[in-house]
Amino acid sequence: MTDKKVLLLGAGFVTLPTVQVLSDSGIKVTVGESIGVLRSQKTHPSEIACRTIETAKKLCKNIKNAHPISLDVTDSKALDAEVEKVDIVVSLIPYEFHATVIKSAIHAKKNVVTTSYVSPAMLDLDNDVKEAGITVMNEIGLDPGIDHLYAVKTINEVHKAGGKITSFISMCGGLPAPEASDNPLGYKFSWSPKGVLLALRNSAKYYKDGNVEEVPGSELMGTAKPYFIYPGFAFVGYPNRDSTPYRERYNIPEAQTIIRGTLRFQGFPEFVRVLVDMGFLSQEKQDFLEKPISWREATQKILNATSDSESELALAVSSKTQFTNSEDKTRIMTGLRWIGLFSDEKIIPRGTPLDTLCATLEPKMQYSPGERDLVMLQHKFEIEHKDGSTETRTSTLCDYGDPTGYSSMAKLVGVPCAIAVRLVLDGTISEKGILAPMSPKINDPLMTELKKYGIEMKEETLA
């Protein structure tokens, strides 16, 4: 593949493994951090020009076939010019920009790979993509990605043998390794802090015992329950967004329960629920969050407390939320102090409670040198076989990051993405349109290649 060229858009947490795998395959990679993306994230203008090229340069350092550029994806002429130069485009920028990238690829008749869920805006381009004769491969990271591969695998095996899937529960979490879960949330950021916190505000919808159940975002953390995988982990799980389309996507109309959810360590949901009740995950603009006031003053205004003394702020918190017990209250209030919400520390003003909180949390919740992350992904299938017998089967991936190399999250998103790029380039994945890994024809070659990198889910019968 030494004659192949890739344009990779994005230089975030998970990009390096993608670039490295492609470079090791002899593929030339042009890496572009996008000016337009940074502008959309309200990055200060003085930072944009520097960050775009410097971030891309840092990513490409010591990778022989990688070349950095600065590119504004919102500038159609500039984007079209770069897309014309390559064989395929990899879009690892925020999902709202994918449709723009795909439109450019349609014009140039070039293939595209993303790790993101297929959005309505992307799906609207399906006919145009097919008419252009190109492949747009999506949902090929970890979740979505590896989860699809092994869900489809087991479901197809059961159906071929004449059986039924009566229940499908899939739980995934990107977490610090237990020894690194040393802050009040038991969590550290391996991707966008804002993305992590925004996901906690999503409503959830799923099938449970044949009925559709819905949970508003404000109540999501209250649904979290202990979730057993291995005895050594104290996980809790809660539903993630809308699981109901997976009856059709996974071809399991017989399933009475379908839940796709998120794993966190114990204590996390209660802490986040208090932040939600306090109004700290709000994206509503507040004038007082446009200047560097103290956190205690900002907290007073967000809570509408009578004063900014710690005792009054604590009373205001208690009036906004409920604690499970006194121990829980002590733990969470200690955590709020750890963040600095009652302190004289100046906020990093970002205009909204959520963005301002993110600016404070990001440096506090980074991985320290020598720490590693953990990814846990498990599917649990309840199966009714052709002869009427039943089985509980699991597919499990438990993976730790390498403190001297890639994080687990970066590897498990970046490597599948790179493998998909290679398989599109060599014609193994050749179907046209807006695609996701939902068929053995697409999935089997991906699984075969991923095993060469030690990436696979362990299958086990529990009962």
Side-chain angles (χ1 to χ4, degrees):
M1 291 193 184
T2 54
D3 61 332
K4 299 297 184 182
K5 296 178 181 178
V6 173
L7 173 62
L8 190 150
L9 300 172
F13 286 115
V14 303
T15 311
L16 184 57
T18 306
V19 176
Q20 189 69 66
V21 170
L22 293 174
S23 174
D24 290 346
S25 302
I27 298 168
K28 293 179 175 62
V29 186
T30 299
V31 179
E33 173 70 298
S34 174
I35 294 170
V37 172
L38 292 176
R39 193 180 294 128
S40 77
Q41 296 170 340
K42 299 179 176 60
T43 304
H44 194 278
S46 64
E47 295 181 43
I48 289 177
C50 174
R51 275 185 56 183
T52 50
I53 190 65
E54 289 305 316
T55 306
K57 280 181 179 178
K58 184 179 178 181
L59 186 73
C60 295
K61 188 178 180 182
N62 300 324
I63 300 181
K64 61 182 178 181
N65 290 315
H67 168 68
I69 62 169
S70 179
L71 174 65
D72 186 351
V73 295
T74 63
D75 180 340
S76 59
K77 288 185 179 179
L79 179 61
D80 289 349
E82 293 299 330
V83 171
E84 285 283 358
K85 298 175 185 177
V86 299
D87 299 289
I88 190 169
V89 183
V90 182
S91 186
L92 296 178
I93 52 181
Y95 76 92
E96 59 264 32
F97 293 95
H98 292 330
T100 299
V101 174
I102 294 168
K103 287 174 184 176
S104 180
I106 290 169
H107 177 74
K109 292 184 166 49
K110 302 296 173 77
N111 299 317
V112 179
V113 172
T114 85
T115 58
S116 300
Y117 286 106
V118 174
S119 68
M122 294 160 71
L123 200 56
D124 285 345
L125 297 171
D126 188 46
N127 287 336
D128 293 338
V129 167
K130 288 174 178 174
E131 286 179 13
I134 64 172
T135 298
V136 179
M137 183 68 204
N138 308 283
E139 303 190 24
I140 189 57
L142 166 64
D143 175 4
I146 296 170
D147 60 341
H148 291 333
L149 301 179
Y150 283 85
V152 171
K153 175 181 181 292
T154 294
I155 290 166
N156 281 352
E157 289 172 353
V158 169
H159 284 172
K160 279 187 177 180
K164 299 176 181 178
I165 303 292
T166 58
S167 173
F168 172 77
I169 298 174
S170 177
M171 290 285 175
C172 185
L175 296 156
E179 73 276 8
S181 60
D182 56 354
N183 65 50
L185 283 96
Y187 189 84
K188 291 184 178 176
F189 296 121
S190 59
W191 61 295
S192 161
K194 184 173 181 179
V196 171
L197 295 179
L198 275 176
L200 303 174
R201 300 171 66 244
N202 291 328
S203 59
K205 187 177 179 181
Y206 52 91
Y207 289 108
K208 177 70 172 175
D209 299 327
N211 299 312
V212 174
E213 299 198 3
E214 298 187 59
V215 181
S218 60
E219 298 175 16
L220 183 64
M221 292 298 100
T223 68
K225 294 180 174 62
Y227 195 84
F228 182 87
I229 294 180
Y230 295 138
F233 292 102
F235 290 129
V236 292
Y238 52 88
N240 182 21
R241 303 196 187 192
D242 188 357
S243 299
T244 58
Y246 285 85
R247 246 189 190 169
E248 182 177 350
R249 293 197 85 191
Y250 284 165
N251 188 29
I252 45 174
E254 72 274 21
Q256 297 300 293
T257 295
I258 301 174
I259 302 172
R260 299 174 82 247
T262 299
L263 293 172
R264 292 290 180 260
F265 288 132
Q266 64 181 2
F268 178 91
E270 293 86 353
F271 197 105
V272 170
R273 188 174 70 235
V274 170
L275 291 176
V276 171
D277 291 346
M278 291 171 66
F280 274 83
L281 298 194
S282 168
Q283 288 187 284
E284 187 176 338
K285 280 280 186 186
Q286 302 288 352
D287 290 342
F288 61 84
L289 296 177
E290 297 286 359
K291 52 190 176 184
I293 61 176
S294 70
W295 257 118
R296 70 165 66 238
E297 184 180 350
T299 301
Q300 177 196 359
K301 291 178 182 296
I302 292 170
L303 293 175
N304 198 24
T306 55
S307 84
D308 66 0
S309 71
E310 182 170 327
S311 60
E312 286 297 327
L313 294 177
L315 283 172
V317 171
S318 297
S319 72
K320 295 278 187 180
T321 191
Q322 291 184 327
F323 298 98
T324 306
N325 51 50
S326 59
E327 287 183 3
D328 204 43
K329 179 177 180 178
T330 299
R331 178 181 67 82
I332 292 171
M333 295 301 290
T334 300
L336 297 178
R337 293 186 189 94
W338 174 83
I339 295 173
L341 300 187
F342 307 148
S343 75
D344 292 319
E345 177 187 344
K346 299 295 185 185
I347 67 170
I348 302 169
R350 292 289 186 265
T352 72
L354 174 64
D355 290 305
T356 304
L357 179 64
C358 284
T360 291
L361 287 181
E362 184 167 8
K364 287 179 176 285
M365 296 175 63
Q366 293 295 317
Y367 286 88
S368 299
E371 291 184 337
R372 57 185 184 158
D373 69 328
L374 160 74
V375 165
M376 181 68 77
L377 167 62
Q378 186 183 77
H379 299 324
K380 184 180 290 184
F381 306 88
E382 298 296 339
I383 300 167
E384 182 181 314
H385 292 291
K386 187 178 181 179
D387 63 2
S389 63
T390 60
E391 176 189 356
T392 301
R393 189 184 305 179
T394 58
S395 298
T396 307
L397 172 64
C398 178
D399 186 81
Y400 288 92
D402 178 357
T404 63
Y406 300 138
S407 70
S408 178
M409 182 63 71
K411 177 181 73 176
L412 295 176
V413 175
V415 174
C417 176
I419 298 301
V421 172
R422 290 197 325 210
L423 294 181
V424 172
L425 283 172
D426 71 14
T428 302
I429 297 175
S430 58
E431 187 177 338
K432 310 307 177 188
I434 302 288
L435 309 180
M438 293 291 161
S439 70
K441 183 179 178 182
I442 290 174
N443 295 8
D444 290 351
L446 287 164
M447 288 189 288
T448 297
E449 291 300 308
L450 285 171
K451 286 178 183 177
K452 296 176 183 178
Y453 290 84
I455 298 173
E456 62 181 312
M457 296 183 74
K458 176 186 175 185
E459 297 174 320
E460 184 179 6
T461 294
L462 299 184

